[in-house]
Amino acid sequence: AVTASFLSSILIAIARIDARIYMVPLDLIIAGVVVLLFAVIFGVLSYSQVLWGIAAGVLLPGFMMGLTWLATRRQGMGFGDLQLGMILGAWVGPIAMILTLFFASFLGLVAWIVISMVKGLDRDRPLPFAPYLVFSAISIFIVSEYSTTLIDQLIML
């Protein structure tokens, strides 16, 4: 619970900053890495989950970034999003990171459509991705941690 609280606080701060200035602050990324290191040292997170999560959190968004560049010749995500993906993947694990990326991309698409309907279509409108990544990761973490307990409790009623 302590790890989740610290990481969630750091991640929410990253999301708020990215939403305002379109930048992921490196000092908060480093703070997240420190929290994750302590979580591994104290056995809260397994070493293999962290390594596979980092791989999923960096390689999958990097692949998406490369495909976007090949298709549009524009950078779809920044390197701060890759750093954030590293932290999120280490925290939630590789499978949940894949779900996080899917859910964040879906939320970003929905937000872009709504903003385009309100403000008019603009293909060059920047949209910060970190808030969607953070919201998705925290939501998926909560669901994955408590869903079986919640389902068990509902069945027992």
Side-chain angles (χ1 to χ4, degrees), residues 89-143:
W91 181 38
V92 299
I95 303 301
M97 187 61 203
I98 294 168
L99 294 172
T100 297
L101 284 169
F102 174 77
F103 191 44
S105 299
F106 178 75
L107 288 176
L109 177 63
V110 169
W112 185 81
I113 290 170
V114 170
I115 291 169
S116 294
M117 288 172 42
V118 171
K119 293 186 176 183
L121 183 63
D122 181 7
R123 291 184 46 194
D124 295 326
R125 177 178 289 119
L127 192 64
F129 196 49
Y132 306 110
L133 278 172
V134 168
F135 176 78
S136 299
I138 292 173
S139 300
I140 288 172
F141 175 78
I142 290 170
V143 168

Side-chain angles (χ1 to χ4, degrees), residues 9 14 20 49 51 62 67 74 80 83 85-86 90-91 101 112-113 117 120 131 149 155-156:
S9 299
I14 289 171
R20 288 188 182 153
Q49 172 192 339
L51 288 180
L67 284 179
R74 291 190 288 184
Q83 295 168 348
M86 174 189 66
W91 181 38
L101 284 169
W112 185 81
I113 290 170
M117 288 172 42
T149 307
I155 291 173
M156 297 304 265

Side-chain angles (χ1 to χ4, degrees), residues 10-86:
I10 292 168
L11 294 172
I12 290 169
I14 289 171
R16 290 191 62 173
I17 292 169
D18 188 48
R20 288 188 182 153
I21 63 172
Y22 300 98
M23 233 175 100
V24 175
L26 184 60
D27 54 346
L28 290 176
I29 294 292
I30 292 169
V33 169
V34 169
V35 171
L36 288 169
L37 285 174
F38 277 112
V40 170
I41 290 169
F42 290 111
V44 175
L45 297 173
S46 74
Y47 186 69
S48 63
Q49 172 192 339
V50 169
L51 288 180
W52 282 110
I54 288 172
V58 173
L59 294 177
L60 292 174
F63 181 70
M64 289 171 40
M65 208 168 130
L67 284 179
T68 302
W69 185 81
L70 285 174
T72 64
R73 297 289 187 224
R74 291 190 288 184
Q75 187 175 349
M77 290 190 297
F79 291 104
D81 294 322
L82 292 179
Q83 295 168 348
L84 181 59
M86 174 189 66

